[in-house]
């Protein structure tokens, strides 16, 4: 894909350089070719990104399932009624409320 991107960049630069010497008809054809190649490239990139996301979900799903079980057991053992992901939506939490280290240790034990 990097080669295709470089080829498209070169094609665009060549088109820009030749713009003043090409007839209007020839320029239109070259621009149409360039746009068609760009659309093909974007289509390939889009499909590749979808495939990567799909593969990532497939690979992470078993880990997430195991993580949910570990967190549920830890929360039940400690008497928690709610466990939140530490994200931008959590505005404040005390340091002792962070279970990350305990979750990692419990997850590692399960291996």
């Amino acid at each position: 894909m990097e080669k295709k991107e470089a080829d498209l960049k070169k094609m665009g630069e060549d088109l820009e350089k030749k713009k003043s010497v090409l007839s209007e008809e020839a320029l239109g054809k070259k621009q149409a070719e360039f746009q068609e190649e760009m659309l093909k490239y974007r289509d390939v990139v889009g499909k590749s990104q979808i495939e990567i996301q799909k593969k990532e979900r497939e690979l992470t799903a078993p880990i997430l399932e195991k993580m949910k079980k570990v967190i549920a057991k830890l929360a039940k053992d400690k008497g928690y009624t709610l466990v939140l992901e530490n994200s931008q939506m959590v505005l404040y939490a005390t340091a002792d409320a962070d279970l990350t280290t305990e979750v990692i240790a419990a997850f590692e034990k399960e291996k």
Side-chain angles (χ1 to χ4, degrees), residues 3-49:
K3 182 179 180 344
K4 185 65 175 175
E5 185 177 346
D7 290 346
L8 283 169
K9 185 176 180 182
K10 185 176 181 334
M11 189 177 182
E13 289 169 355
D14 288 346
L15 183 63
E16 194 62 35
K17 287 176 188 174
K18 295 177 183 177
K19 190 161 62 171
S20 61
V21 295
L22 290 174
S23 69
E24 198 171 308
E25 184 180 328
L27 180 62
K29 285 181 182 178
K30 291 281 187 188
Q31 287 176 328
E33 287 175 23
F34 179 69
Q35 288 175 346
E36 186 178 331
E37 290 300 315
M38 282 295 287
L39 289 174
K40 287 179 186 176
Y41 173 73
R42 287 182 181 151
D43 186 47
V44 168
V45 168
K47 287 178 181 175
S48 295
Q49 288 175 337

Side-chain angles (χ1 to χ4, degrees), residues 64-76:
L64 292 174
E65 281 304 310
K66 182 178 172 185
M67 186 64 73
K68 286 178 185 178
K69 290 176 185 175
V70 167
I71 292 170
K73 183 181 181 321
L74 185 65
K76 185 176 180 182

Side-chain angles (χ1 to χ4, degrees), residues 9 15 22 40 49 53-55 63 65 67 72 75 77 81 84 90 101 104 108:
K9 185 176 180 182
L15 183 63
L22 290 174
K40 287 179 186 176
Q49 288 175 337
Q53 290 170 351
K54 181 181 174 185
K55 189 67 173 172
I63 296 168
E65 281 304 310
M67 186 64 73
D77 292 348
T81 56
L84 300 172
V90 176
T101 306
I104 292 170
E108 292 295 325

